[in-house]
Amino acid sequence: MGEIEINYGSTIPTESLKVIAESVGIGNLSDDAAKEISDSATYRLKLVLQESKKFMVHSNRCKLLPSDIDNALKVFGIEPIYGFHSKDHIPFRYASGGGRELHFIDDKDIDLIEFVNAPLAKLPLEISIRCHWLAIDGVQPTVPENPPSVSKDMQKLECVDPLGKLKKPIDKEVSGRPSTGKAQKLRNVETVHVKQLATHELSVEQQLYYKEITEACVGSDEARRAEALQSLASDPGLHEMLPRMCTFIAEGVKVNVVQNNLALLIYLMRMVKALLDNPALYLEKYLHEIIPSVVTCVVSKQLCMRPEIDNHWALRDFASRLMAQICKMFNTPTNNVQTRITRVFTNATNSDKTALPSVYGALEGLAELGTETIKVFVIPRVRMISDRLDSPEVTQNNVDRISGNQIKHLLCKILTPVLKITHQPPDNIEEYKKEFGSVGVQLHAAVCKARVIVTSQNSNNQTTTQTSTQSRTAVGRPISATPGNSGAPQKYVLMSQRPIVSQTPPNKTVYISQQNIKTEFQDPSN
């Protein structure tokens, strides 16, 4: 009998398992299955309780807590139980009847009278409208409704050290609390302290300004757009609206790239330019929205409805200059903006599957990053790009042929100043064709033309310098001696006393070749 009681007390009853099975929809659980589940659950429960007891003992406690159970479940790699917490001990009651013996939790009776007699909660304040001054004679007053203006240095400091402002004591005057002697009168008045966050709540005036600015920048009125861009480039109070401006630009680029709306993309890039030129704004916290928008306008496959007619190349050039300006302003050893942008553009030029307009944008973007970038990332890939432009797939397609001509013109423009320095004269056209492919013919002609222009300019400068030197040093001219008076000393007359000669001076003819620059003076009468 004692053995039976020990076995009963140390195992989970099969009747309880059948009840649990019925609660989850299993109606006909056999006795053998219930017994197997009972043995397995009892064994695992004992393991958990033994491990929980270890936590209780090491905590020097005599009472087992739910946290000990959770720690034991974590040890066995089992997810802890959520939503179960009680400060008091929960007793399990025993009941039998109808051939079943069950353990259950006794539900606590709730007295509704306590809820009826409980005091009512405090009602919130009524909705009201109160006016305040946004600015007085251009100066923003220090009131709770107006957040303090943030300088560009403070914006930069928040980007570098966001937790720095939490270490500083709160300025009573900045937070909106009056610093005059009226503190005793306002002691019983509720005051609202505005917490400064990255995204600020805009006042009605600021919301109206934001609406007017965004509508003007993407509208059809060019005069109004110019005024809006001028305001974005010079207004010092745009710090609070900057997150919304950047989001507006990012979302606008996403939508208009899909719709191939070239005009709106140009307007959005002009907004980026205006924000970058504003000396009171620091945009490093919003580069994650600005950079993808600008890069999209550089290397996107299609930016307009008619690629063979519309001048989307100007947008790619403008966006490339913006990207170079962003790299110059915000590149640091920590974020490596220029390195990452260079990698993006380089990957676009390496792939043969990249659309030719994207290749043009990538080359323009690399060119705007500097001469060293051209030497390292553009010149080694010119031959590959040239071979692709000569392929039948490009020459037979009208759009690709136009894109290829634009790429060739761009390569001549960006490589000519570099090749003029890196390649020593004389320039051999066969060497250019071997190194750069078919584009080498145009590059050779452009480099030779650039050398001739530079040499002719230097020659003209030297001639001008010599003429000016002679005019300054020549005071008189010698009079040649007569045959009968060869030994007599020479006489000098002043320039102003020279006789006027009616002979026509000989004309000057300048002959310039590509290899050697020769200047000869010849009289046409000979």
Side-chain angles (χ1 to χ4, degrees):
M1 185 67 181
E3 184 179 359
I4 296 175
E5 291 178 356
I6 293 174
N7 291 334
Y8 172 76
S10 59
T11 58
I12 300 177
T14 57
E15 290 80 2
S16 299
L17 288 176
K18 290 183 179 181
V19 174
I20 296 173
E22 291 177 358
S23 64
V24 296
I26 302 176
N28 299 323
L29 186 65
S30 63
D31 295 339
D32 294 337
K35 185 177 183 305
E36 292 294 335
I37 296 175
S38 175
D39 294 341
S40 178
T42 302
Y43 169 72
R44 299 183 182 277
L45 183 59
K46 286 181 179 181
L47 291 179
V48 174
L49 290 176
Q50 289 175 2
E51 195 68 26
S52 303
K53 185 179 179 182
K54 293 180 182 179
F55 283 98
M56 180 189 71
V57 172
H58 286 289
S59 300
N60 295 327
R61 285 185 278 102
C62 298
K63 183 179 179 181
L64 190 67
L65 299 179
S67 59
D68 298 330
I69 304 292
D70 293 338
N71 293 330
L73 294 175
K74 291 180 181 179
V75 169
F76 288 109
I78 305 174
E79 189 174 4
I81 301 174
Y82 299 103
F84 182 81
H85 178 73
S86 177
K87 297 181 180 179
D88 301 331
H89 175 65
I90 300 178
F92 285 85
R93 295 185 177 273
Y94 173 76
S96 62
R100 293 185 178 183
E101 296 178 351
L102 301 175
H103 295 274
F104 65 94
I105 301 174
D106 189 12
D107 295 333
K108 183 180 178 181
D109 295 336
I110 299 176
D111 190 4
L112 297 179
I113 299 177
E114 296 181 0
F115 290 94
V116 174
N117 297 332
L120 298 176
K122 185 178 180 181
L123 295 176
L125 298 177
E126 295 182 357
I127 299 176
S128 60
I129 298 177
R130 184 176 60 180
C131 300
H132 67 278
W133 287 100
L134 182 64
I136 301 175
D137 295 333
V139 179
Q140 180 177 279
T142 305
V143 295
E145 292 78 8
N146 289 340
S149 59
V150 182
S151 63
K152 186 174 182 179
D153 295 335
M154 185 60 66
Q155 298 176 36
K156 186 175 182 180
L157 182 61
E158 291 180 3
C159 294
V160 178
D161 185 13
L163 299 179
K165 60 182 181 181
L166 301 178
K167 303 176 183 178
K168 300 179 181 180
I170 299 176
D171 190 359
K172 294 183 178 180
E173 186 174 357
V174 171
S175 62
R177 191 176 296 176
S179 58
T180 59
K182 300 180 181 179
Q184 298 295 331
K185 297 181 180 180
L186 300 178
R187 179 177 299 176
N188 297 327
V189 179
E190 293 184 10
T191 58
V192 178
H193 302 282
V194 180
K195 182 179 180 180
Q196 301 303 316
L197 300 175
T199 303
H200 303 273
E201 295 297 331
L202 301 182
S203 62
V204 178
E205 295 83 0
Q206 291 172 330
Q207 294 177 16
L208 181 61
Y209 175 85
Y210 171 79
K211 178 177 177 294
E212 295 293 331
I213 283 290
T214 52
E215 290 180 356
C217 288
V218 298
S220 58
D221 190 353
E222 183 61 29
R224 189 182 177 198
R225 184 183 305 109
E227 294 179 359
L229 294 175
Q230 178 64 25
S231 178
L232 290 179
S234 59
D235 197 339
L238 301 179
H239 169 65
E240 296 178 3
M241 284 175 283
L242 191 56
R244 293 171 173 82
M245 290 288 184
C246 296
T247 303
F248 175 81
I249 294 172
E251 295 297 329
V253 170
K254 290 179 183 178
V255 173
N256 290 284
V257 164
V258 176
Q259 297 179 355
N260 297 326
N261 195 331
L262 180 62
L264 289 181
L265 291 175
I266 295 175
Y267 299 157
L268 293 172
M269 290 300 101
R270 292 176 67 182
M271 289 183 66
V272 176
K273 175 66 175 175
L275 293 177
L276 289 174
D277 294 341
N278 194 326
L281 299 179
Y282 191 72
L283 304 179
E284 185 174 0
K285 290 167 59 175
Y286 313 103
L287 292 181
H288 64 283
E289 291 184 322
I290 294 177
I291 290 181
S293 303
V294 178
V295 172
T296 299
C297 293
V298 176
V299 297
S300 181
K301 180 179 179 180
Q302 185 173 349
L303 296 174
C304 56
M305 297 297 294
R306 300 173 298 176
E308 67 278 4
I309 299 176
D310 295 334
N311 187 14
H312 60 96
W313 315 104
L315 174 59
R316 299 181 191 273
D317 297 344
F318 182 66
S320 300
R321 291 192 293 271
L322 286 181
M323 197 69 255
Q325 183 178 357
I326 291 174
C327 293
K328 182 179 180 181
M329 295 175 62
F330 304 106
N331 184 51
T332 61
T334 304
N335 54 30
N336 293 324
V337 171
Q338 184 166 344
T339 304
R340 294 156 68 181
I341 294 301
T342 304
R343 187 182 299 114
V344 171
F345 291 157
T346 305
N347 293 335
T349 58
N350 286 337
S351 177
D352 292 335
K353 298 181 180 179
T354 305
L356 291 181
S358 301
V359 175
Y360 175 92
L363 292 174
E364 179 67 22
L366 292 173
E368 291 294 337
L369 294 179
T371 305
E372 294 299 323
T373 306
I374 296 175
K375 293 179 181 179
V376 177
F377 298 101
V378 177
I379 293 180
R381 294 170 175 82
V382 175
R383 180 59 185 267
M384 179 186 69
I385 296 174
S386 177
D387 295 340
R388 182 184 177 187
L389 297 180
D390 295 337
S391 62
E393 293 82 6
V394 176
T395 56
Q396 295 176 2
N397 191 344
N398 186 27
V399 178
D400 292 341
R401 187 170 61 253
I402 294 174
S403 301
N405 294 333
Q406 291 289 339
I407 292 176
K408 291 180 181 179
H409 178 72
L410 175 65
L411 289 175
C412 293
K413 183 181 70 173
I414 65 178
L415 295 183
T416 299
V418 180
L419 296 178
K420 187 178 63 176
I421 300 174
T422 58
H423 288 59
Q424 298 298 328
D427 298 306
N428 190 351
I429 188 172
E430 297 298 329
E431 293 179 0
Y432 275 76
K433 291 172 64 177
K434 182 178 179 181
E435 183 178 359
F436 303 112
S438 62
V439 184
V441 179
Q442 300 178 6
L443 290 176
H444 176 266
V447 172
C448 293
K449 183 179 179 181
R451 294 190 194 279
V452 171
I453 293 175
V454 173
T455 306
S456 61
Q457 289 178 353
N458 294 335
S459 177
N460 292 335
N461 292 336
Q462 292 178 1
T463 305
T464 305
T465 304
Q466 293 177 0
T467 304
S468 61
T469 304
Q470 293 176 359
S471 63
R472 289 195 302 269
T473 57
V475 178
R477 62 175 179 173
I479 301 176
S480 60
T482 59
N485 193 12
S486 60
Q490 295 180 351
K491 297 181 181 180
Y492 289 85
V493 295
L494 297 178
M495 298 291 289
S496 59
Q497 296 176 356
R498 294 178 182 176
I500 300 177
V501 181
S502 60
Q503 297 179 356
T504 304
N507 295 329
K508 297 180 181 180
T509 305
V510 181
Y511 298 96
I512 300 177
S513 63
Q514 294 183 356
Q515 301 295 335
N516 298 321
I517 308 301
K518 296 182 180 180
T519 306
E520 299 179 0
F521 297 91
Q522 184 179 2
D523 190 355
S525 61
N526 294 333

